[in-house]
Amino acid sequence: MKTLGAKETIKQLTYRMSNNIRFAYVNFSKSALLAASGKISPEKRPPKMFTKSIINSIQNTDKNFMKSVPHFMLENNEGFDIKSIPGVDKSVIYDGGMLEYYFLNKRDIFDSFTNFYIKNSKNLVISFHEKKVSQKIIGTPTHYIHVPYNDFYEKLDSLVQQVVELEDQVDYCILDCPVLSSALASKIWEKSNISILDFGKVFTISNK
């Protein structure tokens, strides 16, 4: 398993964006990784088909499917070892906190990134937040899908279908829905030709 820091992660991401290479930058949260490893408590465990979609994302071997993980989840702690998830040991793991890091610590770089690559693009946003939250960060998206936080497990396939129907109208599918994004990514990658950009917790941080 090879891990990359924030600087190399944004370099690899913008290379693909600049050269119109289809990509997925997917952030696997702690809850998503625990679900995939089977180490999540029964009362918090997602449905089996949802968990399978998370595992499919983790096991994707396409070099342009960029799997990112928070640094603290790369350490063997609380009885969790990320390498216990099949396929991870042979993966390149990108910095899961990259966008949050630049948003909080180097805002000029974050703003340059969004101004150059995002605000002038046609975007579909799938978010747990209201539209006005994302508008503060990336401008007005071409299409916006709001997903209630307490009701998303059963919406997986219908959300993917909406993405497929809109793929010819947008450049990027921007995800702001931790855990759900990990499951959506594999299905969107399989059923469409759209690039996927997971913003992790940036919108949540900006809304505090």
Side-chain angles (χ1 to χ4, degrees):
M1 183 177 72
K2 179 180 180 180
T3 59
L4 301 178
K7 184 176 181 180
E8 186 61 25
T9 295
I10 199 168
K11 179 180 176 181
Q12 293 284 338
L13 176 60
T14 54
Y15 171 81
R16 289 165 171 81
M17 298 175 82
S18 296
N19 289 279
N20 295 317
I21 299 171
R22 187 196 177 206
F23 69 91
Y25 173 73
V26 185
N27 196 327
F28 293 90
S29 66
K30 177 180 179 179
S31 295
L33 292 169
L34 291 176
S37 67
K39 294 186 178 297
I40 198 167
S41 58
E43 65 272 13
K44 295 182 179 180
R45 190 171 297 156
K48 289 183 179 180
M49 292 304 295
F50 189 92
T51 300
K52 177 61 176 173
S53 291
I54 295 176
I55 294 172
N56 287 344
S57 293
I58 293 175
Q59 294 181 340
N60 190 301
T61 58
D62 192 309
K63 67 179 181 180
N64 292 314
F65 196 98
M66 304 169 65
K67 292 169 275 191
S68 67
V69 173
H71 279 299
F72 70 90
M73 291 302 292
L74 296 175
E75 302 172 0
N76 192 340
N77 55 36
E78 300 179 6
F80 173 80
D81 182 0
I82 191 172
K83 292 181 181 179
S84 67
I85 303 174
V88 170
D89 58 332
K90 297 180 181 178
S91 296
V92 175
I93 301 297
Y94 295 86
D95 188 340
M98 180 268 291
L99 289 175
E100 290 98 322
Y101 168 76
Y102 284 117
F103 180 78
L104 291 172
N105 300 290
K106 296 186 177 183
R107 189 61 181 267
D108 57 329
I109 295 177
F110 180 89
D111 289 343
S112 294
F113 171 77
T114 54
N115 288 335
F116 187 79
Y117 291 102
I118 305 300
K119 290 186 177 180
N120 293 319
S121 300
K122 294 176 290 183
N123 303 308
L124 162 63
V125 175
I126 301 177
S127 177
F128 288 146
H129 292 96
E130 297 295 333
K131 187 176 182 179
K132 62 183 180 181
V133 176
S134 69
Q135 285 179 308
K136 294 187 300 182
I137 305 298
I138 61 171
T140 302
T142 306
H143 297 283
Y144 194 90
I145 301 174
H146 175 248
V147 183
Y149 180 75
N150 60 352
D151 181 30
F152 62 82
Y153 288 137
E154 304 303 324
K155 296 183 181 297
L156 188 59
D157 288 336
S158 64
L159 287 169
V160 173
Q161 183 57 39
Q162 290 180 71
V163 173
V164 171
E165 292 173 357
L166 295 171
E167 70 169 306
D168 293 335
Q169 302 176 36
V170 296
D171 300 310
Y172 304 119
C173 178
I174 293 176
L175 301 178
D176 166 49
C177 44
V179 183
L180 174 58
S181 63
S182 303
L184 278 172
S186 60
K187 286 181 171 287
I188 293 173
W189 188 261
E190 176 187 356
K191 296 180 180 296
S192 77
N193 290 309
I194 194 171
S195 287
I196 303 165
L197 179 56
D198 189 343
F199 263 68
K201 296 182 179 179
V202 170
F203 294 174
T204 298
I205 294 170
S206 74
N207 199 39
K208 292 182 179 179

